[in-house]
Amino acid sequence: MEAVNTSLGPIMKAARKFKKLNQSEVAKAIGCSQSALSKMEHNLLIPSAPQWFLFSRFTAIPPETLESGFIDRHLAVKFNSDEVSLGFKIPRKYRNFRAEKVRELYPFMLYLKKHFPDELEAFIVESEIDPEFFLDFDNLINFQLYRNMIERFIKVGRDAPHDICEMANDGHDDTFWDAYGNDWHHLSTPDELLTQFSKKQMYFQTDFQVTLEHHHGRSVLNYRPEYHLKNTEDNNGKITIFLNEYRKCMLENMIKRFLKLTVVIEIQGDVKEALSGRLIL
């Protein structure tokens, strides 16, 4: 699947900013001038193979980033960590309670690129966040930015179930899952897969506690907002409805992808807490 931005220059800039390095430090590490590195970051000069591998080692990104178009170090989320993301320009309103990876935005951004490229550009501009920030799956965002994306879909009338399922089905691709599902192909049942998925949440997000329960022979996956989201309002319920439809489609797609099984997941409709979900298989 094509990346949102596959240019090498912005990837190099994103990797440098993640580590809070300046151009002179990186240029020295890969054996070039600061001017040459600047040209690389602006796609005016292509690094040689040795320079790219030195750059990858120095900034601690996988060399295969060159192929995927996204940086993915497979790090666990460290809630609101000052070690992550703050080398970028991020407005104050998005700096607190950062508990989700950029990975979680990827399906939405991919959908916008496919159907509404101008909306994708507008979203990035309005966020006032450096564009290259969105090329690093380990960068942290807060729920407000995630919510802003959902509200954009609602605004343009792309919040029908079939639209939401398209986002989930297309967006949870090889780039999204990367190495996380390598061992899941060997699982036998949806229950085993849901168990592993709930255990891996710290590599995706920590906005919600995801737990698996069993009632009357059925598997029940619960999404409960963590303490920092407890007072989040959703007066008309549209955000919660969107989230649960997205969760349903994502889980159905995940089971089909890793187990080759087609299942139908139910959304329990009487959950009262905003943003929470209860999905039954």
Side-chain angles (χ1 to χ4, degrees):
M1 181 66 69
E2 184 184 4
V4 172
N5 187 331
T6 56
S7 299
L8 190 56
I11 291 172
M12 295 181 72
K13 193 172 183 180
R16 175 175 64 79
K17 286 190 173 184
F18 186 92
K19 288 290 189 179
K20 301 180 184 177
L21 298 167
N22 59 44
Q23 286 184 335
S24 62
E25 290 172 313
V26 176
K28 181 179 179 181
I30 69 173
C32 72
S33 66
Q34 182 176 343
S35 174
L37 180 67
S38 178
K39 290 180 180 179
M40 292 177 194
E41 290 188 354
H42 288 86
N43 288 329
L44 299 175
L45 183 66
I46 299 175
S48 67
Q51 285 174 328
W52 172 251
F53 281 101
L54 285 171
F55 177 85
S56 300
R57 182 182 300 174
F58 186 64
T59 57
I61 65 171
E64 57 269 25
T65 298
L66 182 64
E67 299 176 27
S68 68
F70 288 92
I71 299 169
D72 195 348
R73 304 172 193 79
H74 310 120
L75 301 177
V77 175
K78 293 182 179 180
F79 178 73
N80 225 35
S81 173
D82 287 339
E83 300 173 2
V84 179
S85 306
L86 294 186
F88 295 86
K89 174 188 173 185
I90 304 175
R92 185 179 297 275
K93 63 181 177 180
Y94 294 136
R95 284 184 173 239
N96 294 326
F97 307 122
R98 291 171 296 116
E100 298 200 29
K101 286 188 174 186
V102 164
R103 175 190 304 281
E104 295 291 277
L105 278 180
Y106 169 78
F108 298 147
M109 299 183 79
L110 200 62
Y111 182 86
L112 284 180
K113 181 179 180 183
K114 178 180 178 181
H115 296 285
F116 304 100
D118 290 344
E119 284 289 332
L120 175 58
E121 183 177 354
F123 172 78
I124 294 174
V125 170
E126 290 171 16
S127 73
E128 298 180 357
I129 298 174
D130 294 331
E132 57 272 9
F133 174 89
F134 298 100
L135 297 177
D136 193 325
F137 277 1
D138 290 306
N139 278 329
L140 296 180
I141 62 171
N142 68 8
F143 187 76
Q144 183 58 49
L145 185 63
Y146 191 83
R147 176 180 180 140
N148 290 162
M149 177 66 86
I150 293 175
E151 289 172 336
R152 186 171 292 274
F153 287 121
I154 294 172
K155 179 181 178 181
V156 299
R158 288 291 176 132
D159 56 337
H162 66 273
D163 293 316
I164 297 172
C165 279
E166 185 176 349
M167 298 172 203
N169 294 340
D170 290 351
H172 290 87
D173 58 10
D174 291 343
T175 298
F176 177 88
W177 289 113
D178 197 51
Y180 290 108
N182 285 349
D183 298 330
W184 294 356
H185 291 285
H186 305 296
L187 301 175
S188 301
T189 67
D191 192 73
E192 291 175 337
L193 181 56
L194 293 175
T195 298
Q196 292 303 313
F197 174 71
S198 60
K199 288 180 178 179
K200 286 284 188 180
Q201 284 305 296
M202 74 287 296
Y203 292 97
F204 295 87
Q205 59 83 32
T206 55
D207 270 332
F208 296 90
Q209 184 182 111
V210 181
T211 57
L212 182 65
E213 301 173 355
H214 300 91
H215 297 285
H216 307 294
R218 304 189 71 181
S219 300
V220 180
L221 201 69
N222 295 293
Y223 283 80
R224 298 185 179 94
E226 292 287 7
Y227 73 96
H228 60 279
L229 293 181
K230 291 294 184 181
N231 296 321
T232 302
E233 295 184 2
D234 184 16
N235 294 331
N236 57 18
K238 287 188 176 182
I239 301 295
T240 302
I241 291 171
F242 187 105
L243 279 174
N244 282 319
E245 191 65 40
Y246 180 74
R247 291 161 177 164
K248 163 187 160 66
C249 295
M250 183 269 292
L251 294 173
E252 289 175 346
N253 176 268
M254 181 180 72
I255 292 170
K256 185 173 183 178
R257 176 185 183 87
F258 293 108
L259 302 182
K260 309 303 180 186
L261 296 175
T262 299
V263 302
V264 176
I265 291 177
E266 300 173 15
I267 302 172
Q268 184 169 319
D270 60 351
V271 176
K272 303 300 183 183
E273 188 175 17
L275 310 182
S276 63
R278 189 172 175 84
L279 301 135
I280 305 171
L281 174 59

